[in-house]
Amino acid sequence: MAEKICVAVRVRPSISEESPSGTFWKIEDNRISLHKLHGTPISGLSYAFDHVFDESCSNSKVYELLTKDVIHAAVDGFNGTAFAYGQTSSGKTYTMNGSLNDPGIIHRAVNDVFQKIQMISDREFLIRVSYMEIYNEEINDLFAVENQKLPIHESLERGIFVAGLREEIVNNAEQVIKLLESGEVNRHFGETNMNARSSRSHTIFRMVIESKGIDTGSGDYSSSDAIRVSILNLVDLAGSERIAKTGAGGVRLKEGKYINKSLMVLGNVINKLSNGAKQRAHIPYRDSKLTRILQTALGGNAKTSIICTVAPEEVHVEETKGTLQFASRAKRITNCAQVNEILTDAALLKRQQLEIEDLRRKLQGSRSEVLEQEILKLRNDMLKYELEREKLEMELEEERRSHKEREQRIRDQQLKIENLSSLVSDGDRSSSQDSMKESPKDECNDFKTPCFKETSNNAFVAKRSNYSELPDFSPLPDSFSNVADEDTWFKMNKGYIADLDSLQTTPARKVQSFPPQDITPDCSNDNYKLELQNLKTQLELVIKEKVELQRKHEEEVQINSRLMGEICELKQELDLSNNSLESSKQRYGNLEREFQKLKEERDSLLQTVSESSKNITFLTDQKENILKDLNCEVQRRKDLEVEIKQFSVAFASRQRSLASIHGEFKSKIEKLRAENLVRY
Ligand code: ADP
Ligand code: MG
C-alpha cells in the first residue's frame, strides 16, 4: 500500500544566551514558521509536517509519536527506517542515542522490539543486529574493528547487503545495548577528534527480524511455512551543513567532499522521489554508499520516518531553512511497504532450524535458561561460520581476480620482452653487419641515410657502380674509373664502404659540378681542375656523411644498450611478479586450507553434537529400562505383600485351628487323666 514518509521537525533547546535580534522560529501545532521579532510571519517561510516538536519535547514523546509505528511494523514483517537529518549540533545524536534520563530512539526501539515479541506467543523470532559507520565513503564495521572498507554486494537472495559485516544474534535488549556500547568504543578507537568524526560520518544500526509461525498443535515446525524477514535501520546522519561555513580545508575538505557526496546524493534521491512517479526510473541510489544501503527505505518497500533536527539560534537560520526544505521534499515521497515473506533458504531462521531443533531435543529437560543460552551460542556460532565462509569466499574471489590480473600482466610483459628482444637482435644484426637495406634508387625527395655495406671479400672500396647510367649527375673523370683510392677510403671509412650511388640519389647531394658533355676540348685543363674541385667537394660531403653515419651508429648502439637495460629491468620485474604470483599462490593455498580446516572444524563440531545426542538417547534408553525394571520390582513387591497377607491370614486361621485342636487335645488329656485317676 502506498504511503507517505512520515516527517517531523525537532527544535533543540537554545544553547546561546543571546536573545534574537531580527527573527525567530515559531512553532504552532505541526507548523514551524520564521517570524520577525515583533511577531509578523515572514512569507514563504512557513512549513507544516506530520509533527513539529519544540525544545521541551522529550525523546519519549518523539518515539511515541514518530517512530513507534515503524518499529512495531518491523516486528510484523515490514522493513523500517528511522533517520535523523540536520546540521551538526542540532540534536541528531541526542535524538537517536538520548541521555541517561531520556533514552533515545535506538534504545527505545530495541526495548520495544523485545517487549513486543514477548507478547506474540504464536511466532518464533530470530533477531540479529549489526552496526556500521560510513566515513569518507568507506563502510567500517563498528562491531569488529578489523572489518574496514567493506564492499556492498547485491544478490537475488539477500538483496543489497554489506559483505563481511559482523552480525550478532541477540535474545534480549540488554545484549543489544552492550553491543552498541562496544560499537561506540570501536568508533572512538584511534580517534583524536571524535566530534569532528561524528559530524562527518553516518552510523547505521541495523536489526534483522525474522519470524515464523509456531504450529501450536504439536509444537513442531513445519518446514514449508513462510518466514517473515524485515530490516530495521536506525540512522544517525552526518551533519548536513555546507562545508563553506565550517571552512574545511585539506583533509577535512576531502572528508567534507565525501560527506557531501553521500548527503548530496541523499538530497538528489529525495528530490527525484519527491517529483513523483515520472522520474522514478532514474533515482541515483547507486551514487553513494548511504543511499545504496537505504535504498528500500526511500521510495521502496519500507516504512520510513525522518526526524529533521534544527537549531533555534539566529546564526543558524540559513541551515535551518535548508533542513526544512529537505524535510518538505521528503514529505512528498511515497513508499510502498509490504510484509516480506520468504520461502527460500535466505532466512537464517530457516537455515538454522534443523540444528536448533536437534539441540532443543537433546537438551530437553534442561532448565529453560540453559537451553536458551545454548541455543543462542549455537546460533551465533553458526552465523559466524556463515559470515566467515562468506568472507573467505569473497577473499578467494578477490585473490582469483588479482591472480588473473597478475597472470595477464606477466603475459603482457613477456610479450613486451619478446618484442624488445627481437628489436634488439635486429639492431644487433644491423650494427654487426653494418648493413641496412639499400635505399631505393627512386627520385623521392626524402633524405635517406646512405647505407654502409661490407663487401663479400672484405675488400674495402668505394663503388660507383652504374654511375655512367646517371646522366643527371657529374660523371667521374676516367682516371678515377669505377674505383676510388682504396687507401684513402680505407682510412676514412675504417673498413666500411659507402654506396656512393645512393649518396648521389640524396637530393641534397645532387651535384651538377660538371659542365655539360658537349663542352669544348680547349677548356679541358680548366675543366679538369673544376672537376677535381668538384670531386674534392664531393669527398668532403662523403666524409661528413660518414661522420654523420658514425654518430647515428653510436646512437643506435646507445639505444641498444638502453633497450638491453630495459629488458633487464623487465626481466627483474617479471621475476618479482613471478615471486608475488608464487606468494599469492601460497596465500591462496593457505586460504583454501583454512577454509578446509574451518569446514572440518564445523564437521567435527556437528559430529560431536551428533555423538552427544547419541549418548543422550542411550542414557534415556537406559533410564527407561531401569524404570521398567523398577516397575516390575514394585509390582513383584506388591504381589509378595498380597501373598504375605494371604499367608498371614492362612497362618492365623491355622493358628486358630491349631489352638482349638490344642484345646481339644488338652481337654481330652484332662479327661483321660481324670478317668485314670478314677480307675486307680
Ligand atoms: P548532532 O548529533 O546533531 O551533532 P547532538 O545530538 O550532539 O547534535 O546535540 C548537540 C548538543 O545539544 C548536545 O550537547 C546535546 O546534548 C544537546 N541537545 C540536542 N538536542 C537536545 C534536546 N532536545 N534536549 C536537550 N539537549 C539537547
Ligand atoms: Mg551527532
Side-chain angles (χ1 to χ4, degrees), residues 57-239:
C57 183
S58 63
N59 281 329
S60 139
K61 192 169 169 196
V62 172
Y63 179 77
E64 286 295 319
L65 292 174
L66 185 72
T67 332
K68 196 177 171 180
D69 289 347
V70 175
I71 307 301
H72 284 194
V75 176
D76 293 335
F78 293 91
N79 290 331
T81 296
F83 60 88
Y85 177 98
Q87 72 173 109
T88 296
S89 98
S90 57
K92 296 181 298 296
T93 306
Y94 184 84
T95 304
M96 297 313 285
N97 292 0
S99 61
L100 267 180
N101 298 332
D102 189 14
I105 282 174
I106 295 181
H107 287 219
R108 289 175 191 275
V110 168
N111 281 322
D112 215 8
V113 164
F114 283 102
Q115 257 174 30
K116 188 153 195 282
I117 65 176
Q118 248 168 15
M119 293 189 318
I120 302 173
S121 55
D122 59 347
R123 295 189 77 79
E124 187 202 19
F125 283 86
L126 177 65
I127 297 185
R128 51 194 206 270
V129 293
S130 56
Y131 195 23
M132 69 191 110
E133 172 196 62
I134 306 176
Y135 186 57
N136 282 345
E137 279 302 278
E138 280 162 5
I139 303 171
N140 302 324
D141 195 335
L142 292 177
F143 284 165
V145 268
E146 68 276 13
N147 290 348
Q148 304 263 313
K149 300 185 186 177
L150 298 174
I152 295 177
H153 282 210
E154 191 168 0
S155 76
L156 270 180
E157 286 239 301
R158 292 184 58 184
I160 299 161
F161 64 99
V162 177
L165 185 71
R166 162 101 42 104
E167 286 184 326
E168 289 281 341
I169 297 174
V170 283
N171 268 356
N172 54 55
E174 291 71 45
Q175 278 173 0
V176 185
I177 306 298
K178 264 195 202 130
L179 282 167
L180 278 168
E181 279 164 7
S182 75
E184 282 307 316
V185 172
N186 285 346
R187 203 165 169 223
H188 284 261
F189 188 77
E191 200 52 51
T192 48
N193 187 350
M194 197 48 214
N195 283 342
R197 187 179 183 113
S198 71
S199 67
R200 286 170 171 75
S201 63
H202 316 275
T203 56
I204 303 175
F205 169 68
R206 177 171 270 207
M207 280 180 114
V208 182
I209 304 172
E210 293 188 3
S211 73
K212 184 175 189 311
I214 298 173
D215 193 345
T216 39
S218 60
D220 279 348
Y221 300 83
S222 79
S223 58
S224 64
D225 271 359
I227 292 177
R228 285 185 192 160
V229 182
S230 53
I231 296 171
L232 180 64
N233 296 308
L234 302 175
V235 190
D236 186 352
L237 292 174

Side-chain angles (χ1 to χ4, degrees), residues 201-332:
S201 63
H202 316 275
T203 56
I204 303 175
F205 169 68
R206 177 171 270 207
M207 280 180 114
V208 182
I209 304 172
E210 293 188 3
S211 73
K212 184 175 189 311
I214 298 173
D215 193 345
T216 39
S218 60
D220 279 348
Y221 300 83
S222 79
S223 58
S224 64
D225 271 359
I227 292 177
R228 285 185 192 160
V229 182
S230 53
I231 296 171
L232 180 64
N233 296 308
L234 302 175
V235 190
D236 186 352
L237 292 174
S240 61
E241 61 277 3
R242 282 157 291 158
I243 347 171
K245 199 175 164 191
T246 59
V251 176
R252 285 177 68 200
L253 189 68
K254 182 188 162 208
E255 290 172 347
K257 193 181 86 194
Y258 279 123
I259 281 149
N260 258 2
K261 184 180 172 189
S262 260
L263 279 179
M264 194 185 72
V265 178
L266 178 70
N268 286 347
V269 165
I270 285 185
N271 265 350
K272 294 242 161 117
L273 288 169
S274 65
N275 282 341
K278 267 183 285 170
Q279 296 201 21
R280 286 209 162 192
H282 312 289
I283 312 295
Y285 294 112
R286 284 173 173 270
D287 288 1
S288 82
K289 301 255 157 68
L290 179 74
T291 45
R292 195 87 206 285
I293 293 171
L294 297 182
Q295 187 160 342
T296 48
L298 302 161
N301 171 20
K303 287 178 183 281
T304 298
S305 72
I306 304 181
I307 181 139
C308 293
T309 54
V310 296
E313 293 86 9
E314 223 171 346
V315 282
H316 296 306
V317 162
E318 286 309 311
E319 289 299 342
T320 301
K321 276 192 225 165
T323 303
L324 294 176
Q325 274 152 14
F326 174 91
S328 309
R329 282 193 297 269
K331 188 71 217 90
R332 277 182 261 157

Side-chain angles (χ1 to χ4, degrees), residues 407-474:
E407 277 187 340
Q408 184 58 41
R409 259 212 325 268
I410 287 169
R411 271 201 296 276
D412 288 351
Q413 276 173 356
Q414 266 168 346
L415 214 71
K416 221 162 138 190
I417 288 174
E418 273 162 29
N419 285 344
L420 281 169
S421 304
S422 66
L423 228 144
V424 170
S425 62
D426 282 356
D428 279 352
R429 221 176 304 131
S430 70
S431 61
S432 67
Q433 295 176 355
D434 295 308
S435 73
M436 276 168 71
K437 276 184 195 143
E438 259 179 279
S439 330
K441 289 184 182 171
D442 56 17
E443 292 293 314
C444 77
N445 284 329
D446 291 349
F447 178 89
K448 291 242 171 68
T449 310
C451 306
F452 288 124
K453 272 185 187 165
E454 189 182 69
T455 52
S456 53
N457 54 1
N458 281 343
F460 302 107
V461 289
K463 287 195 293 186
R464 277 186 190 277
S465 56
N466 304 324
Y467 192 80
S468 54
E469 286 166 20
L470 299 164
D472 280 357
F473 311 121
S474 322

Side-chain angles (χ1 to χ4, degrees), residues 355-531:
E355 283 88 344
I356 301 293
E357 278 321 295
D358 212 28
L359 189 74
R360 222 192 275 274
R361 265 199 305 279
K362 272 169 220 151
L363 292 173
Q364 235 161 27
S366 314
R367 275 175 307 138
S368 69
E369 229 175 276
V370 178
L371 178 70
E372 285 313 311
Q373 269 174 19
E374 281 300 316
I375 288 178
L376 182 68
K377 196 172 160 293
L378 179 71
R379 289 197 135 137
N380 264 317
D381 283 351
M382 286 197 289
L383 181 63
K384 252 169 223 139
Y385 276 126
E386 276 195 17
L387 290 176
E388 194 68 31
R389 202 193 56 216
E390 188 182 279
K391 210 168 136 192
L392 279 172
E393 271 170 1
M394 251 162 47
E395 278 179 29
L396 265 176
E397 194 50 46
E398 182 68 19
E399 200 57 43
R400 270 192 204 123
R401 211 173 43 74
S402 62
H403 186 83
K404 259 191 199 151
E405 267 173 19
R406 236 173 274 136
E407 277 187 340
Q408 184 58 41
R409 259 212 325 268
I410 287 169
R411 271 201 296 276
D412 288 351
Q413 276 173 356
Q414 266 168 346
L415 214 71
K416 221 162 138 190
I417 288 174
E418 273 162 29
N419 285 344
L420 281 169
S421 304
S422 66
L423 228 144
V424 170
S425 62
D426 282 356
D428 279 352
R429 221 176 304 131
S430 70
S431 61
S432 67
Q433 295 176 355
D434 295 308
S435 73
M436 276 168 71
K437 276 184 195 143
E438 259 179 279
S439 330
K441 289 184 182 171
D442 56 17
E443 292 293 314
C444 77
N445 284 329
D446 291 349
F447 178 89
K448 291 242 171 68
T449 310
C451 306
F452 288 124
K453 272 185 187 165
E454 189 182 69
T455 52
S456 53
N457 54 1
N458 281 343
F460 302 107
V461 289
K463 287 195 293 186
R464 277 186 190 277
S465 56
N466 304 324
Y467 192 80
S468 54
E469 286 166 20
L470 299 164
D472 280 357
F473 311 121
S474 322
L476 279 170
D478 279 353
S479 59
F480 273 85
S481 177
N482 273 341
V483 183
D485 172 0
E486 287 183 20
D487 282 339
T488 316
W489 280 106
F490 185 70
K491 273 181 209 151
M492 285 195 309
N493 293 321
K494 292 193 183 124
Y496 296 111
I497 57 156
D499 186 334
L500 296 183
D501 289 339
S502 52
L503 278 183
Q504 293 292 342
T505 57
T506 310
R509 277 161 201 74
K510 278 182 186 174
V511 183
Q512 193 74 46
S513 50
F514 282 76
Q517 292 266 324
D518 57 349
I519 202 148
T520 46
D522 316 10
C523 330
S524 67
N525 212 9
D526 281 357
N527 281 345
Y528 183 73
K529 272 185 189 158
L530 205 67
E531 199 186 335

